[in-house]
Amino acid sequence: MKIILKEYLASLRERGDLDHAVLPNLLSELGLTVLNTPMIGTRQNGVDIAAVGKIRGEDDKKCLYLFCIKAGNISRNDWSASPQSVYQELNQIRDVYIRSNVSSEHTDLPIKICLCCGGELEETILMDWAGYTENYSSNKINFELWNGDRLAEYMMKVFLARELLEDDLRSNFQKAVATVTEPSTCYAYAFRFLKALLSLEFDNIKQRLFKLRQAYICIHTINGWAIEAGNLESIYTISELGLLLSWDVIRKEKIPNRRTKHYNELVTIQLQFIHLYIQMSEKYFRKTTYPYADKLHALSVAVKSREPVDVNLAMFELVGRLAIRGIWANRLAKLIQDENEETTKHLTDLIQKSIDTIVDVINNNPILNSPLKDDHMIEMALIMMLAQQTNMVDRFLGWLHNVGILTSGALLTNGPYPTCIRDYADLLSHPVDASEDYRKEACAGSILYPFLFLWLHNINKESDIATFVSRLSDSIPDCTHQAWLPDEKTDDQLWSGGTNHGVCIIGLNPKIGREKMSEALNNAYDKYNAISEISAMKRNLYPLLLTACRHYRMPVPPTFWFSGPLSLFR
């Protein structure tokens, strides 16, 4: 395990990985209080992270720790070849930071200047490091090397010690790392590990925070190995899974009247999970999607399958991921718009990139006009929600029109019409035949058609809508057209993949007309309004609910079909 961790640490970048993802959490669990972490565009005077306290089992008295962080191995070029070299930054710490940046409450503390790297000091600079530390060490200032070996040792001690991880947990974590070349297997082991780790009973709030940090470090480790193996599928799915399972722990912490240190730490770790998800999704899209989205059939061909089913499933999965990432970026941009101009601009760029890429993917992959699964309504609802948030609905109305024509037309010709069947083997042979019995089974219920019907009123002529309704009535008269709303059990089950919750709203057959369907939805919402009590909704993080719906294949509630509250149906 230590070898695995050392190789993982050596692969980390300085910015965003080692200084934000790993070291701050590690220092907190070692017993130190982190005073600051790196910020882009600010003068740091050589110090990437400052912390104060005593490392349990090592320090006899409180110390001020000042970290100079570098990625991977430190070579001769890293030592003295540029203004950002180790030598220059160590000098800045001694000559500038210690003299002007240390607060008065810490001026009397002994100082430890730590050169931190994920790899090792190369042999060519060992003598330079030894000479430098000997020359400038004093009674007040000491130097320490925190290399990959030392960091891995601390991680083993703090996060992965045998007394902290039961055998089953450790085994599933190791299997997830060992199977990073196989996305579905890697995800399965990661799910078992994270769900077991984060569903444990916590004796106190400190243990809750520790388990979250432990999960975060382990996810980052799995992702590091998956990137090395070229498995971008796993870095997306596991980061998204971590986001949901961590929220299942964080939501149980009540919001205090006054922000406490512990609550601030919980918010920080929550933001780290969100940041990791955004970071991994962007890495995924840059490699798999952006270069090919505007090329006809390029992404469809990249599925590398002769089965249209595989292409259909993969394309809807892709646009759904783009849509939910855009929704996240939009929400985060609004939350921080007055706090960080640079980050807000980055998020705004991500929103626009998400929209433009979805449009390109739809235009260049016609199979997206013919959803095969009824629950592809989830992806369609997410896309239209993002379109409404960005005032770009007009760019997608033609697509919805095509979907309405082709899905209802496929029912007449017995083509591959949308089905509620989910088993992959059955999807390969769908439709088996044109018999009434088979169609009753394949279209026993639908969440897609009510959603499409309401949107078609914003696009089509009355005659086109009448044709759509007539086709449904003639072809699938026994289909239960429905929608889904959360109930009181949802908040306790949704985040970890539970399905025994929620309320099914039936009686939404398009033949009853728009007004009666809207009335039925509003009556249901008035009667079953538990969605407003879901933790993510109460804390202004509704993208978490939508992420869970997409990840675990739960229908998007009607609340999100159109911008604003459901009352807009009236």
Side-chain angles (χ1 to χ4, degrees):
M1 179 59 67
K2 186 175 179 181
I3 294 173
I4 290 175
L5 291 175
K6 283 182 65 177
E7 293 190 18
Y8 155 69
L9 289 165
S11 70
L12 295 181
R13 295 177 296 113
E14 174 191 349
R15 284 285 176 263
D17 287 339
L18 194 55
D19 57 0
H20 279 104
V22 175
L23 199 56
N25 287 313
L26 184 59
L27 295 177
S28 295
E29 290 302 329
L30 286 171
L32 302 180
T33 299
V34 177
L35 301 177
N36 70 276
T37 54
M39 295 183 64
I40 297 174
T42 60
R43 184 177 174 85
Q44 297 171 214
N45 295 322
V47 175
D48 293 300
I49 293 178
V52 67
K54 295 190 294 185
I55 293 181
R56 287 186 291 269
E58 292 188 13
D59 295 331
D60 296 326
K61 53 186 177 180
K62 195 174 182 180
C63 298
L64 177 63
Y65 282 83
L66 306 177
F67 288 88
C68 174
I69 302 174
K70 298 297 177 183
N73 293 333
I74 298 179
S75 65
R76 170 61 60 189
N77 287 336
D78 299 313
W79 178 256
S80 60
S82 71
Q84 288 77 40
S85 65
V86 173
Y87 183 82
Q88 299 293 338
E89 292 192 353
L90 292 177
N91 286 341
Q92 282 187 321
I93 294 174
R94 291 188 305 102
D95 298 337
V96 182
Y97 189 94
I98 293 176
R99 292 183 179 182
S100 60
N101 290 68
V102 177
S103 64
S104 57
E105 62 181 307
H106 301 140
T107 53
D108 295 330
L109 296 178
I111 296 173
K112 292 188 178 183
I113 299 175
C114 305
L115 176 57
C116 179
C117 62
E120 305 289 343
L121 289 186
E122 293 187 0
E123 188 175 357
T124 55
I125 62 164
L126 286 176
M127 296 300 293
D128 298 82
W129 169 250
Y132 189 95
T133 56
E134 183 177 352
N135 286 338
Y136 294 109
S137 294
S138 64
N139 291 333
K140 184 176 178 62
I141 299 176
N142 286 297
F143 293 84
E144 292 185 357
L145 175 62
W146 287 44
N147 57 13
D149 192 74
R150 183 168 182 170
L151 291 174
E153 192 68 45
Y154 279 143
M155 289 175 69
M156 290 288 293
K157 175 182 176 182
V158 173
F159 293 112
L160 302 174
R162 291 191 177 277
E163 61 270 20
L164 298 177
L165 279 180
E166 298 176 1
D167 289 342
D168 288 345
L169 289 173
R170 178 181 290 272
S171 174
N172 284 322
F173 172 66
Q174 291 174 323
K175 288 175 181 177
V177 172
T179 57
V180 289
T181 57
E182 303 171 23
S184 58
T185 305
C186 180
Y187 175 86
Y189 284 125
F191 181 85
R192 292 177 195 171
F193 166 73
L194 292 170
K195 188 172 182 180
L197 177 66
L198 295 176
S199 63
L200 296 172
E201 291 295 327
F202 303 114
D203 297 331
N204 52 60
I205 57 178
K206 288 186 177 180
Q207 189 181 42
R208 179 177 296 168
L209 185 60
F210 170 75
K211 291 298 182 184
L212 286 168
R213 286 176 175 151
Q214 196 174 26
Y216 180 80
I217 291 294
C218 289
I219 290 173
H220 217 287
T221 304
I222 296 170
N223 282 349
W225 277 84
I227 291 170
E228 185 73 19
N231 176 9
L232 299 178
E233 176 70 15
S234 286
I235 70 170
Y236 182 91
T237 57
I238 292 173
S239 297
E240 188 173 70
L241 175 66
L243 181 64
L244 298 174
L245 294 181
S246 65
W247 179 253
D248 199 24
V249 176
I250 294 170
R251 70 180 179 85
K252 296 172 185 175
E253 188 80 12
K254 294 182 179 179
I255 303 176
N257 294 328
R258 296 181 62 183
R259 295 284 288 261
T260 63
K261 176 185 175 182
H262 169 71
Y263 186 77
N264 287 335
E265 289 177 330
L266 269 181
V267 171
T268 298
I269 193 67
Q270 174 191 328
L271 290 174
Q272 288 178 331
F273 275 103
I274 294 173
H275 173 75
L276 179 64
Y277 164 70
I278 296 293
Q279 182 187 31
M280 292 298 106
S281 65
E282 183 64 7
K283 187 181 290 291
Y284 173 86
F285 294 131
R286 281 180 187 168
K287 185 70 174 179
T288 65
T289 310
Y290 294 158
Y292 317 107
D294 61 348
K295 296 175 177 59
L296 186 63
H297 302 303
L299 289 170
S300 295
V301 172
V303 177
K304 295 181 180 179
S305 174
R306 296 181 180 179
E307 294 291 344
V309 171
D310 293 329
V311 179
N312 195 287
L313 298 181
M315 289 299 98
F316 273 95
E317 178 73 21
L318 178 60
V319 293
R321 291 178 180 182
L322 285 163
I324 193 62
R325 198 281 302 273
I327 291 170
W328 264 111
N330 182 68
R331 185 63 193 139
L332 294 175
K334 290 182 177 179
L335 287 174
I336 67 168
Q337 58 185 347
D338 297 327
E339 299 176 13
N340 192 316
E341 184 177 343
E342 186 175 351
T343 302
T344 301
K345 183 182 183 305
H346 172 67
L347 291 170
T348 303
D349 291 341
L350 285 185
I351 298 167
Q352 189 61 50
K353 188 69 174 177
S354 297
I355 285 284
D356 292 342
T357 305
I358 293 171
V359 171
D360 283 341
V361 174
I362 290 174
N363 288 340
N364 290 289
N365 298 274
I367 199 167
L368 285 168
N369 292 315
S370 303
L372 180 63
K373 293 173 63 181
D374 186 76
D375 68 5
H376 282 154
M377 167 269 183
I378 298 169
E379 283 72 30
M380 298 181 67
L382 294 177
I383 290 171
M384 295 314 298
M385 183 177 183
L386 177 61
Q388 292 173 91
Q389 290 177 339
T390 54
N391 298 317
M392 295 189 182
V393 171
D394 289 347
R395 300 182 72 178
F396 296 94
L397 294 182
W399 173 54
L400 289 182
H401 170 78
N402 291 340
V403 172
I405 291 175
L406 292 176
T407 54
S408 60
L411 291 169
L412 298 181
T413 61
N414 201 46
Y417 51 82
T419 174
C420 57
I421 293 172
R422 293 194 176 189
D423 183 77
Y424 177 72
D426 292 336
L427 287 173
L428 287 173
S429 57
H430 171 74
V432 173
D433 55 48
S435 67
E436 183 178 345
D437 289 342
Y438 175 79
R439 188 164 289 192
K440 281 184 179 180
E441 179 185 355
C443 299
S446 176
I447 57 175
L448 173 64
Y449 292 123
F451 172 81
L452 266 179
F453 173 72
L454 290 175
W455 265 105
L456 289 177
H457 277 82
N458 296 317
I459 310 169
N460 290 351
K461 300 176 182 177
E462 288 297 326
S463 58
D464 293 330
I465 297 172
T467 299
F468 175 79
V469 174
S470 175
R471 288 175 174 179
L472 299 185
S473 299
D474 293 343
S475 303
I476 47 174
D478 299 318
C479 178
T480 303
H481 299 275
Q482 57 195 276
W484 178 84
L485 279 173
D487 64 7
E488 293 77 10
K489 299 178 183 177
T490 298
D491 206 27
D492 290 328
Q493 295 191 36
L494 178 63
W495 314 111
S496 58
T499 57
N500 188 27
H501 59 90
V503 177
C504 181
I505 309 167
I506 58 174
L508 301 181
N509 195 316
K511 70 180 181 182
I512 67 175
R514 182 176 185 269
E515 290 186 7
K516 288 187 177 181
M517 185 181 292
S518 300
E519 182 181 357
L521 287 168
N522 281 298
N523 289 339
Y525 186 71
D526 291 339
K527 185 176 181 180
Y528 306 105
N529 59 359
I531 190 171
S532 60
E533 296 301 313
I534 287 181
S535 55
M537 299 293 288
K538 294 174 74 173
R539 302 192 193 191
N540 295 318
L541 287 173
Y542 65 84
L544 276 167
L545 175 58
L546 296 173
T547 303
C549 288
R550 198 203 67 79
H551 191 91
Y552 295 122
R553 308 310 297 166
M554 297 295 294
V556 173
T559 320
F560 300 104
W561 291 5
F562 297 94
S563 291
L566 199 61
S567 58
L568 288 182
F569 282 128
R570 295 191 173 103

